[in-house]
Amino acid sequence: MSGRYADAWSAIVDVLAAYGVDAFFGLPGDDLELPRALDGAGLDLVPCRDQRNAMYMATGYALQSGRPAVCALGKGPAVTHAATGLLEARESGAPVIVLAAGAPERRRDSGGFQELDQVAVAAPLVRWARRVGHPDRIVPATVTALTRAVGPPPGPVYLEVPDDIRTAEIPAAGARPALPEPLVLDSAPVAHGPALAAIRASRRPVVLVGGGLRHRNGDGVVERFAELLGAALFTTASGRGAVDERHPLFCGVAGLYAAAPARALWSSCDLVVSLAGRLEETAVDGGAPWPSVPVVQVNVDPGGLSAEFPGPRVLGEARHAVLGWSRALDGALKEERAGEREGRAGAGAGTERTDAEAAGPGEGCGRTDAEAAGPGSENERTGKESERTDVAATWADEIAEARRAMAREVAAELARAAALPGIRVAELLAALDATAGEPRVLVQENGLQDMWSYCFPFHVGGGSVVPSEQTPLGFGAAAAIGVKLAAPDHEVTAFVGDGAFVAARADIAVAARAHGGVLYVVLCNGGYGWLDAQRARLGLDAERYPFARPGAPPPAVDGPDIDCRVLRDKAALTDEVRAARRFCARGGTAVLFVPVAPDDVPPPLRDGEAVPQ
């Protein structure tokens, strides 16, 4: 690589494209040189109307694909407007590269147009933030930004290009810096230590999967580990999509969103193995009390290891740990089986001897069996192994029964819904499942009634993209566009509230023509259902504090590639959803507005009294 680039954006686009980065979202600055550079490289920019939505789209793309995405911004208020999206990308661990314009170097501290210390704004919200101060630094800074975004751990980064650096010629002499070569650890053994000892000693374990295992669970290594361990398998809200939710050990989302039978498993477990999660509040404080048992934590990010819980903490890749522990458990299982075979063979041979021969020379026949066996003998070990096997079998039965009980609860909820007027959210989720093809992804919000889809097994199968513990309004509605761009062969359904839909409405309309195919299911309760429920709990006046006003759905999104409908008829529900999916399969964007009742609250939240009734 030699010569010079005409400007900074040309250099940045060339470097990123060389490393396979091809997803760009944003509302760039006034110069529009970045779109020109993308045109020259044969790449597309998804133009946005709102910087927050641009960040959500890039985050959705990165979470679904596991690859970095770019969000392009202007300067000053453009950066502060994107801050909420930066926060979400950081909490989700999404590899997003933010490219921002900046006031010229020569005008710093002079009160220039839209001048702001943008690095100070962005730095707390990203893994790395830099302002490039010289043309020679553009190429190495871009490579560093990409390296830091990909991680581990992955996360957003911020790169600012001042206007006078942006317009300068950029040197391209010498070889392009190489990205770090990852060290593959899958084949390396895991050392025996407190974590493995706790896992081996457990008889009633729970495995809790966090968002850090997204795209790290190839070949179902986590499910295989749960099978060997005989563990109930849960995810955090952020961990949705990391494991197969059809697996017979899967019991749903932990904590606040867990059904009563699943909470009973948490109350009686003897170990929690937390994989690549941060043990967020909704997982440990919602629902049943967190069990007072050891917690084995594994995280590649030291900041993800909590000191609030007893038990071993492991700094490293969760996938590597799971593979090593699985080998150890598999080896121990084979040894046990071999020992059982030897024991049976030895018992068969012993029956041919007389009692006197069995007693041995000089030994009387008056000893008890326990005395004859001696301390630590094969009989004692066999008894302990049998006891452990019985406990494990009982735990497996309890997991299976919990899953059956949750299925019965779903059937009862659907029967209850059928007798009520209007379409209930449980019925809507059942229709979505009945009409969905494969592969598919459900992109979610975190409002009062959107959370129905968190409550296993009301929505089963397919992948999931959810907001982090920050739960910003509008994330799922906008992120679905990035998800669809990352997975064009997937059915993508955005399950959102009307408040979230309104927040992303302008960008949904803009992106529909070029990047359609998303089905929007909009739950219409007239605003912010969670706040309205809390208002009712405190007895505040609904007219003075109108957080929700049930009535007409939000305005429809216009366009030849957009089909908007209001669903009110239970009998026609499944047919309407199926027709919307057909429209999406042809590249259109379908929007189904579904009026919902204020009392239509997810059972775990209702039963746990998280929401007043």
Side-chain angles (χ1 to χ4, degrees):
M1 183 176 68
S2 62
R4 307 183 75 82
Y5 295 102
D7 55 54
W9 294 134
S10 298
I12 291 171
V13 168
D14 183 68
V15 171
L16 292 177
Y19 291 119
V21 179
D22 57 5
F24 291 77
F25 306 83
L27 183 57
D30 298 340
D31 59 89
L32 294 184
E33 290 167 0
L34 177 58
R36 185 177 66 183
L38 290 170
D39 285 348
L43 299 173
D44 292 326
L45 173 74
V46 178
C48 302
R49 294 290 188 267
D50 184 302
Q51 291 90 351
R52 289 171 301 179
N53 290 335
M55 280 297 308
Y56 297 155
M57 290 181 199
T59 300
Y61 180 95
L63 291 176
Q64 176 62 31
S65 68
R67 299 170 53 231
V70 175
C71 180
L73 306 172
K75 54 181 179 283
V79 174
T80 58
H81 204 203
T84 301
L86 281 171
L87 174 64
E88 176 59 29
R90 186 195 70 180
E91 293 298 296
S92 294
V96 176
I97 302 167
V98 177
L99 301 178
E105 278 287 292
R106 66 178 183 275
R107 298 284 297 168
R108 292 191 77 171
D109 302 323
S110 67
F113 178 67
Q114 294 185 332
E115 182 184 359
L116 174 70
D117 187 353
Q118 296 169 192
V119 171
V121 171
L125 305 175
V126 296
R127 295 201 176 275
W128 179 84
R130 290 294 185 276
R131 174 181 165 101
V132 182
H134 192 277
D136 291 355
R137 303 301 307 156
I138 286 289
V139 170
T142 303
V143 175
T144 300
L146 178 57
T147 303
R148 297 294 293 267
V150 172
V157 298
Y158 173 86
L159 186 63
E160 181 179 328
V161 182
D163 285 343
D164 46 357
I165 304 299
R166 168 181 58 79
T167 57
E169 287 191 338
I170 307 299
R176 183 181 292 116
L179 295 180
E181 180 181 353
L183 179 63
V184 178
L185 296 174
D186 283 1
S187 60
V190 171
H192 290 251
L196 181 56
I199 289 169
R200 279 180 159 168
S202 172
R203 297 294 170 262
R204 304 172 65 86
V206 163
V207 170
L208 178 62
V209 178
L213 263 171
R214 184 181 291 272
H215 303 293
R216 298 292 298 154
N217 188 27
D219 303 323
V221 297
V222 172
E223 292 88 334
R224 169 65 175 153
F225 173 61
E227 291 167 6
L228 287 168
L229 192 55
L233 183 59
F234 289 83
T235 69
T236 65
S238 300
R240 292 289 302 276
V243 299
D244 180 5
E245 298 190 358
R246 296 186 183 90
H247 193 278
L249 291 174
F250 184 72
C251 297
V253 180
L256 179 64
Y257 311 109
R263 292 176 181 179
L265 295 175
W266 281 89
S267 299
S268 57
C269 70
D270 65 3
L271 178 74
V272 176
V273 182
S274 173
L275 302 174
R278 290 191 295 268
L279 296 177
E280 48 258 57
E281 182 181 350
T282 55
V284 302
D285 288 348
W290 185 261
S292 56
V293 300
V295 181
V296 175
Q297 300 178 60
V298 191
N299 208 306
V300 73
D301 180 5
L305 293 172
S306 173
E308 304 286 332
F309 304 92
R313 295 183 296 159
V314 178
L315 182 62
E317 283 277 4
R319 176 183 174 86
H320 174 50
V322 164
L323 284 168
W325 291 336
S326 294
R327 291 190 187 101
L329 292 171
D330 204 20
L333 186 61
K334 289 177 180 176
E335 288 179 8
E336 276 187 23
R337 288 171 178 168
E340 289 171 2
R341 288 194 297 269
E342 290 177 5
R344 287 194 296 269
T351 56
E352 297 177 1
R353 296 188 299 165
T354 65
D355 289 344
E357 289 170 334
E363 294 179 0
C365 299
R367 296 187 304 162
T368 65
D369 290 343
E371 290 171 335
S377 71
E378 184 66 30
N379 287 350
E380 185 178 343
R381 287 195 297 273
T382 301
K384 289 180 179 179
E385 288 169 3
S386 177
E387 181 183 350
R388 286 197 297 267
T389 301
D390 291 343
V391 172
T394 300
W395 184 237
D397 290 342
E398 290 179 31
I399 295 170
E401 176 52 33
R403 284 173 53 87
R404 288 191 291 269
M406 286 187 280
R408 290 193 295 269
E409 289 185 355
V410 169
E413 188 68 36
L414 287 171
R416 187 178 80 89
L420 295 172
I423 296 171
R424 307 293 288 190
V425 182
E427 296 173 305
L428 181 56
L429 286 172
L432 288 172
D433 270 349
T435 59
E438 295 290 351
R440 54 174 154 151
V441 183
L442 187 73
V443 188
Q444 296 151 275
E445 289 280 336
N446 195 254
L448 174 62
Q449 289 163 319
D450 333 40
M451 285 190 289
W452 264 96
S453 56
Y454 285 54
C455 301
F456 176 84
F458 285 101
H459 178 78
V460 182
S464 292
V465 174
V466 303
S468 72
E469 197 80 345
Q470 296 294 334
T471 66
L473 179 73
F475 167 78
I481 297 169
V483 170
K484 183 63 179 179
L485 191 64
D489 60 329
H490 285 52
E491 284 187 354
V492 177
T493 302
F495 195 71
V496 304
D498 47 4
F501 180 80
V502 169
R505 181 177 178 274
D507 279 307
I508 291 170
V510 169
R513 180 179 295 273
H515 304 287
V518 178
L519 169 60
Y520 284 90
V521 178
V522 185
L523 307 177
C524 302
N525 59 15
Y528 304 123
W530 185 275
L531 286 178
D532 196 60
Q534 304 310 319
R535 174 204 59 74
R537 178 176 64 85
L538 296 173
L540 298 175
D541 182 55
E543 293 299 318
R544 292 185 62 196
Y545 302 99
F547 294 115
R549 286 191 180 277
V557 182
D558 297 324
D561 301 306
I562 302 175
D563 180 35
C564 295
R565 303 183 187 187
V566 180
L567 305 189
R568 300 184 187 276
D569 184 359
K570 282 179 183 281
L573 174 60
T574 300
D575 288 340
E576 291 274 18
V577 174
R578 187 172 285 114
R581 290 204 186 278
R582 287 196 297 266
F583 186 80
C584 292
R586 297 193 296 270
T589 295
V591 182
L592 300 178
F593 295 112
V594 186
V596 291
D599 66 346
D600 197 353
V601 177
L605 303 185
R606 182 184 66 214
D607 299 342
E609 300 182 348
V611 176
Q613 297 298 299

